[in-house]
Amino acid sequence: MLPAHLRALARAGAEVELRIEGEATQRAVLDALEERFPMLRGTIRDHATGRRRAFVRFYACERDLSHDPPDAPLPPPVVSGAEPFLVVGAMAGG
């Protein structure tokens, strides 16, 4: 699932279904997402380092996966399609 500003940029719906070859990891999901929607390159991950941008968070199965290693396997309910992998724009300020 994508936040509204990325949906608008990608001209996609809130939910995007991706087919992943091999193990389903954050890196594999983001690679597939950027392959399908090239206009998202650099919005979720830094171009040079490939690291998650500071104000983007990843959630699945009621867990914050943002600080998990990018090659860690995603939870089985996400892999099976029973639960979504959420890309969320974090909020900051006071």
Side-chain angles (χ1 to χ4, degrees):
M1 297 191 75
L2 295 173
H5 64 287
L6 294 180
R7 285 194 308 256
L9 184 61
R11 295 186 179 103
E15 259 185 66
V16 175
E17 188 173 314
L18 301 168
R19 299 271 178 221
I20 306 296
E21 296 294 325
E23 189 168 37
T25 64
Q26 286 180 26
R27 185 185 316 272
V29 167
L30 296 175
D31 287 348
L33 184 67
E34 291 173 351
E35 177 73 25
R36 184 164 166 196
F37 301 102
M39 67 287 289
L40 294 180
R41 289 187 182 127
T43 61
I44 299 171
R45 301 184 288 186
D46 180 85
H47 280 292
T49 65
R51 291 185 183 157
R52 173 186 55 83
R53 293 211 176 265
F55 289 101
V56 175
R57 296 288 184 261
F58 305 132
Y59 293 91
C61 303
E62 299 183 21
R63 274 189 49 228
D64 183 350
L65 304 177
S66 303
H67 298 289
D68 287 4
D71 292 316
L74 292 175
V78 174
V79 176
S80 72
E83 291 286 330
F85 178 79
L86 303 163
V87 177
V88 177
M91 297 182 68

